């Protein structure tokens, strides 16, 4: 798995132009069954992919924390929201709350999330490959294929199945 993670940025970079062209066409004329196809591809890939063997998303990027995320997580820590923000978060250039640093503070040595049951929405939905109206998040997907081996595999399979 580590070898796959190490080669992923180069693989994604090599496929970037091809993927960008594919997604541009997909946005213009998405197939009627796109959401169904993406759900199937996502489910099939995650039968083979064990996120605990990877956790590259947690090691290299940080999620956005919504107000609801902050409320839920701080409550689980029995902290005031502002105390949680001060201890773990910062505002980024878009004025969104993000982690102060990566890898994620809440990732343990065995790649388990210590706040898994209350984790941010962005973490719950990552890599977003089963999202409805998938064609609308193509720029996010282009970034995620360089981080997540499963997202990379899903996009490669998607290009085989969907002829544009």
């Amino acid at each position: 798995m580590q070898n796959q993670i190490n080669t992923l940025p180069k693989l994604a970079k090599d496929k970037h132009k091809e993927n960008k062209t594919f997604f541009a066409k997909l946005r213009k004329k998405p197939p009627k069954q796109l959401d169904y196809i993406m759900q199937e591809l996502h489910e099939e890939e995650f039968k083979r992919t064990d996120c605990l063997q990877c956790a590259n998303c947690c090691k290299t990027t940080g999620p956005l924390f919504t107000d609801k995320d902050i409320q839920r997580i701080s409550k689980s820590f029995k902290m005031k929201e502002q105390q949680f923000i001060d201890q773990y978060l910062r505002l980024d250039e878009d004025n969104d709350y993000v982690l102060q640093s990566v890898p994620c503070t809440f990732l343990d040595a065995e790649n388990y999330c210590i706040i898994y049951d209350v984790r941010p929405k962005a973490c719950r939905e990552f890599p977003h490959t089963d999202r409805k109206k998938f064609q609308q998040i193509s720029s996010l997907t282009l970034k995620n294929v360089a981080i997540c081996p499963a997202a990379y595999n899903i996009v490669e399979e998607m290009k085989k199945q969907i002829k544009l």
Side-chain angles (χ1 to χ4, degrees):
M1 176 58 81
Q2 192 57 48
N3 187 42
Q4 189 178 11
I5 294 166
N6 293 343
T7 60
L8 194 60
K10 183 183 180 338
L11 287 171
K13 186 178 182 203
D14 292 347
K15 295 278 188 173
H16 183 77
K17 188 174 180 183
E18 177 185 314
N19 289 345
K20 196 171 179 179
T21 302
F22 178 83
F23 283 126
K25 290 178 184 176
L26 189 69
R27 275 193 308 276
K28 285 181 184 162
K29 196 169 191 278
K32 286 187 174 98
Q33 297 291 320
L34 181 62
D35 289 344
Y36 174 77
I37 293 166
M38 293 312 299
Q39 186 71 43
E40 289 285 310
L41 291 173
H42 179 91
E43 288 174 12
E44 283 304 309
E45 181 59 34
F46 281 97
K47 285 178 185 173
R48 295 186 297 271
T49 300
D50 179 3
C51 293
L52 292 174
Q53 295 297 314
C54 180
N56 199 43
C57 52
C58 307
K59 293 173 183 173
T60 62
T61 62
L64 297 180
F65 285 74
T66 65
D67 290 341
K68 284 185 176 183
D69 293 332
I70 293 167
Q71 290 168 357
R72 186 177 59 257
I73 299 166
S74 62
K75 183 178 177 185
S76 77
F77 283 157
K78 296 178 175 52
M79 296 172 91
K80 293 193 182 312
E81 290 173 30
Q82 191 58 51
Q83 185 183 4
F84 176 79
I85 291 167
D86 293 343
Q87 188 167 344
Y88 297 106
L89 306 179
R90 66 176 176 82
L91 283 172
D92 70 4
E93 58 280 349
D94 297 323
N95 235 20
D96 291 317
Y97 281 111
V98 295
L99 290 169
Q100 289 177 6
S101 62
V102 290
C104 180
T105 311
F106 307 113
L107 184 68
D108 76 10
E110 281 82 41
N111 289 341
Y112 282 92
C113 174
I114 63 171
I115 61 166
Y116 189 81
D117 291 339
V118 294
R119 69 194 184 281
K121 181 177 187 254
C123 298
R124 265 196 301 277
E125 295 179 355
F126 191 84
H128 313 286
T129 47
D130 61 345
R131 187 185 283 185
K132 298 222 182 297
K133 297 185 181 171
F134 176 79
Q135 72 277 9
Q136 295 177 350
I137 60 160
S138 56
S139 59
L140 178 62
T141 303
L142 284 170
K143 291 177 187 167
N144 290 345
V145 296
I147 299 165
C148 176
Y152 179 88
N153 293 341
I154 289 166
V155 169
E156 290 305 302
E157 188 58 35
M158 176 187 172
K159 290 185 298 188
K160 291 176 191 169
Q161 288 192 23
I162 299 173
K163 301 299 178 202
L164 298 174

